[in-house]
């Protein structure tokens, strides 16, 4: 049976094994997909041992996405643009890296939440690894503007500059982020995961727009509630998680699973 893992630390509560089990069942395939917790300084050894033992592919989550990119002998354009990989596959005798996070976000926004990204004014909050991974896929949808807001504004400027050739990027500080009118506001900061408040002006949220947190569940709850209180439509990133998994499954196995029921199943309260 083909073996896959999600490598992270911590990783015990990852939903990826459940998601991939659902995909395999839906497509009538048999795979094994488990969690693999690597020690903070032990990603490389754990990943290499997994592939040496015959493993076919790995998803990679925090804090190892940059190391996963560096480990691979070949990286896709989108992994190179992100400087990070959430996907590894053994192809022949080499390990290849890709990044399916941005594609997962775009698919969830465009196909599941029905947001028109072409021509949209997008505010991307955050300029760390999570933000960097989604800039190029968002720009490929041809928004009218992609404004990057960050607490450290120099980081926002440097990210906007890095992708300037790919589309209409610009930068702003967090406290001035309400200077524009946006169709979509994306939270790609780690503030809520760290249990810290996000000093983003409430005025960025307004009716008719979508506020979206790339995190899901409890980590996204504060951002989602703030946006809804101001009349915006809001979603956490559970759909992005499932869509990046579907893209991973497709890259590994050549078949694309349907996602709607998997997302609905994960949202349903436990029996
Ligand atoms: P990740 O890989 O999750 O993106 P990261 O690269 O450490 O992690 O980036 C974290 C992001 O969250 C950054 O944009 C960071 O802002 P700074 O660049 O100014 O540090 C942002 N962030 C984290 N905690 C925050 C907080 N309390 N308020 C605002 N932004 C925060």
């Amino acid at each position: 049976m083909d073996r896959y893992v999600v490598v992270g630390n911590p990783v015990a509560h990852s939903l990826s094994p459940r998601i991939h089990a659902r995909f395999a069942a839906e497509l009538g395939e048999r795979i094994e997909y488990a969690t693999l917790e690597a020690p903070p300084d032990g990603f490389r050894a754990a990943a290499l041992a997994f592939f040496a033992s015959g493993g076919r592919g790995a998803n990679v989550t925090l804090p190892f996405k940059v190391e996963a990119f560096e480990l691979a002998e070949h990286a896709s354009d989108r992994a190179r643009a992100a400087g990070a990989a959430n996907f590894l596959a053994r192809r022949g005798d080499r390990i290849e890296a890709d990044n399916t996070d941005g594609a997962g976000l775009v698919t969830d926004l465009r196909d599941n939440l029905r947001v028109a990204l072409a021509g949209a004014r997008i505010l991307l909050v955050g300029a760390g690894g999570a933000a960097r991974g989604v800039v190029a896929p968002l720009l490929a949808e041809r928004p009218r503007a992609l404004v990057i807001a960050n607490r450290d504004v120099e980081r926002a400027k440097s990210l906007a500059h890095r992708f300037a050739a790919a589309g209409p990027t610009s930068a702003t500080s967090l406290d001035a982020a309400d200077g524009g009118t946006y169709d979509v506001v994306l939270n790609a900061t780690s503030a809520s995961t760290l249990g810290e408040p996000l000093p983003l002006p409430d005025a960025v949220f307004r009716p008719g727009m979508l506020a979206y947190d790339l995190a899901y569940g409890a980590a996204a709850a504060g951002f989602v509630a703030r946006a809804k209180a101001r009349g915006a439509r809001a979603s956490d990133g559970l759909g992005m998680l499932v869509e990046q998994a579907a893209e991973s499954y497709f890259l590994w196995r050549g078949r694309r699973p349907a996602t709607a029921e998997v997302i609905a199943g994960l949202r349903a309260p436990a029996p």
Side-chain angles (χ1 to χ4, degrees):
M1 212 189 303
D2 291 341
R3 288 192 295 119
Y4 304 88
V5 286
V6 54
V7 194
N9 188 330
V11 77
H13 296 291
S14 169
L15 293 174
S16 293
R18 260 173 82 188
I19 293 169
H20 284 277
R22 291 285 306 269
F23 289 165
E26 177 197 308
L27 295 170
E29 298 189 337
R30 280 167 51 83
I31 67 165
E32 189 186 300
Y33 190 113
T35 58
L36 175 57
E37 183 164 301
D41 60 352
F43 169 76
R44 189 181 180 85
L48 290 177
F50 169 71
F51 282 109
S53 74
R56 304 289 311 172
N59 283 129
V60 181
T61 186
L62 297 179
F64 300 129
K65 291 185 184 185
V66 173
E67 281 183 78
F69 172 68
E70 289 166 351
L71 171 122
E73 286 130 314
H74 177 270
S76 68
D77 286 349
R78 52 194 187 177
R80 277 204 298 275
N86 71 327
F87 171 98
L88 295 171
R90 186 158 52 79
R91 299 226 171 83
D93 56 5
R94 72 179 186 183
I95 297 172
E96 299 185 359
D98 203 335
N99 194 316
T100 66
D101 283 332
L105 172 64
V106 165
T107 302
D108 195 36
L109 292 174
R110 193 191 53 206
D111 300 349
N112 299 335
L113 297 167
R114 308 256 169 216
V115 177
L117 292 173
R121 292 154 301 182
I122 302 174
L123 178 69
L124 175 63
V125 186
R132 191 176 57 209
V134 301
V135 173
L138 287 169
L139 290 174
E141 298 298 306
R142 307 240 156 264
R144 188 188 311 172
L146 179 67
V147 180
I148 302 168
N150 199 47
R151 181 174 58 181
D152 174 352
V153 71
E154 291 307 318
R155 263 184 115 184
K157 284 182 187 164
S158 113
L159 191 57
H161 182 71
R162 180 179 166 148
F163 289 97
T169 59
S170 60
T172 180
S173 64
L174 265 193
D175 51 7
D178 54 351
T181 306
Y182 298 101
D183 304 302
V184 184
V185 175
L186 303 168
N187 181 17
T189 73
S190 54
S192 58
T193 305
L194 298 169
E196 297 170 3
L198 177 64
L200 178 71
D202 271 328
V204 299
F205 302 117
R206 53 181 191 87
M209 60 119 63
L210 176 76
Y212 187 99
D213 198 315
L214 275 63
Y216 62 87
F223 180 83
V224 165
R226 273 178 72 188
K228 283 187 175 164
R230 297 271 308 177
R233 187 156 77 105
S235 175
D236 74 357
L238 186 68
M240 172 182 176
L241 178 77
V242 174
E243 295 297 347
Q244 67 75 29
E247 178 77 4
S248 297
Y249 195 103
F250 173 71
L251 291 173
W252 283 323
R253 305 187 62 79
R255 295 181 71 194
R256 191 173 288 282
T259 53
E261 284 184 17
V262 179
I263 296 171
L266 291 171
R267 288 213 189 279

